[in-house]
Amino acid sequence: MSRAFVFPGQGSQAVGMGKDLADAFQTARDVFGEVDQALSQDLSKIMFEGPEDQLILTENAQPALMAVSLAVVRVLEKDGGMDLGKACALVAGHSLGEYSALAAAGAFSLADTAKLLKIRGQAMQKAVPVGQGAMAALLGLDLEAARAVADEAAQGEVCTAANDNAPGQVVVSGAKAAVERALVIAKEKGAKRAVLLPVSAPFHCALMQPAADAMAEALGNVTISAPVVPLVANVTAAQVSDPDEIRRLLVEQVTGAVRWRESVLAMKEAGITGLVELGSGKVLGGLVRRIDKSLSGSSINTPQDIETFLESL
């Protein structure tokens, strides 16, 4: 089977995340310790014990999700003898998961990735005052219909399709009033459901430009190596390996749409038959068959999952 490793984005965090890995593997404990040290913060304590209101803060959730993903990767490599370059043909990640994917493929050091995601989380939170932006899931509308809803709802404000997750599952993002108008318009246009998402900022839209500027500066100060396998980038749904191009696309990604459905289809086109999600939750593994029934999707986030996967290699 030709396999891609994919990495979850925000929303997959939960109190207790990574604790079973830390209990079972010294390698996982080392990853969490290295992230804590890089951030000068006891992030692993928040991950394992909460409180939830601290964990869901964007600046904590983003490095926390990356830490669990990288703990899974390192355990597979160090304890399981897996060679990532041979175990998968491509990597991809949903939004912040793109950083996890790049770290897994050797483009970033673990410490740099943790610091970048801390900066990214803080910058995204600061870009728009709380309560002025919003995101909403439009269920039952395809991308073109969702874009039409966003355009009609904008009325001079920012409102745009931000995440194309799967057929009939598109997220719009922008100014709160515009997104609220989109909820009404979407239902009029036949959406099965249109719901506001419990997020603290309007990600992946033009309102995030201050955060994109912050990431351009931060990414300019870190070393990016060519990944051992290509990344399928969120904003282009195409493969990339060149470090300068990766840097540019990561900046663009802050304000650009996450083209996840197209990314999965591009992976299929490249010969991928199965997507394996590494890290917290099972969101991406679950989306695979909604995007294309011929693809297999699975998730690895527990010691048992790791054992089962290693046996399949």
Side-chain angles (χ1 to χ4, degrees):
M1 179 183 83
S2 189
R3 183 187 295 116
F5 284 157
V6 297
F7 297 83
Q10 210 160 329
S12 290
Q13 69 276 355
V15 173
M17 62 192 292
K19 189 170 187 317
D20 53 351
L21 296 172
D23 289 344
F25 301 104
Q26 179 62 48
T27 303
R29 293 195 290 279
D30 290 343
V31 168
F32 299 138
E34 195 175 332
V35 170
D36 286 350
Q37 189 174 358
L39 299 179
S40 302
Q41 176 190 10
D42 198 350
L43 181 63
S44 55
K45 187 172 193 291
I46 297 171
M47 291 161 57
F48 300 165
E49 301 171 17
E52 189 183 26
D53 64 348
Q54 288 298 304
L55 180 61
I56 62 174
L57 289 175
T58 303
E59 66 175 83
N60 290 331
Q62 294 199 17
L65 285 159
M66 181 278 298
V68 175
S69 289
L70 267 290
V72 171
V73 171
R74 293 272 175 92
V75 169
L76 288 170
E77 290 176 329
K78 204 166 173 184
D79 299 66
M82 181 192 82
D83 179 336
L84 185 135
K86 292 176 182 168
C88 71
L90 295 168
V91 293
H94 193 285
S95 191
L96 84 92
E98 199 152 77
Y99 286 80
S100 308
L102 287 163
F108 287 129
S109 72
L110 179 60
D112 280 347
T113 313
K115 289 173 189 169
L116 285 168
L117 285 173
K118 189 75 169 176
I119 293 166
R120 186 176 182 270
Q122 289 172 337
M124 286 177 135
Q125 194 61 70
K126 279 185 206 153
V128 180
V130 174
Q132 290 190 19
M135 298 180 80
L138 310 184
L139 305 179
L141 296 182
D142 65 18
L143 179 59
E144 289 312 311
R147 280 179 175 154
V149 167
D151 288 346
E152 189 179 328
Q155 296 178 23
E157 294 183 294
V158 172
C159 188
T160 188
N163 297 354
D164 178 16
N165 288 330
Q169 190 187 120
V170 181
V171 173
V172 295
S173 181
K176 190 164 190 280
V179 172
E180 286 172 343
R181 287 193 291 271
L183 295 174
V184 177
I185 296 165
K187 285 170 184 165
E188 289 169 356
K189 290 190 183 292
K192 288 178 188 165
R193 284 181 70 209
V195 291
L196 283 174
L197 296 177
V199 294
S200 53
F203 305 132
H204 300 291
C205 75
L207 296 174
M208 286 286 116
Q209 188 57 48
D213 295 341
M215 289 317 295
E217 184 181 345
L219 285 158
N221 294 325
V222 299
T223 301
I224 305 180
S225 305
V228 294
V229 295
L231 171 82
V232 177
N234 282 184
V235 293
T236 59
Q239 294 181 35
V240 59
S241 292
D242 176 70
D244 289 335
E245 184 75 352
I246 287 168
R247 185 180 278 110
R248 185 180 70 75
L249 292 174
L250 286 174
V251 174
E252 203 177 305
Q253 184 230 56
V254 179
T255 55
V258 177
R259 295 166 60 181
W260 190 253
R261 177 184 59 84
E262 292 173 86
S263 295
V264 171
L265 293 175
M267 288 187 258
K268 183 193 176 186
E269 192 71 21
I272 296 298
T273 54
L275 277 72
V276 181
E277 178 180 18
L278 307 183
S280 188
K282 298 186 175 183
V283 172
L284 300 182
L287 285 176
V288 172
R289 285 181 59 75
R290 289 189 55 184
I291 296 169
D292 191 307
K293 286 189 167 47
S294 71
L295 295 170
S296 70
S298 59
S299 302
I300 303 178
N301 53 33
T302 68
Q304 182 58 54
D305 292 340
I306 288 171
E307 196 177 316
T308 303
F309 179 72
L310 288 170
E311 285 167 2
S312 75
L313 289 179

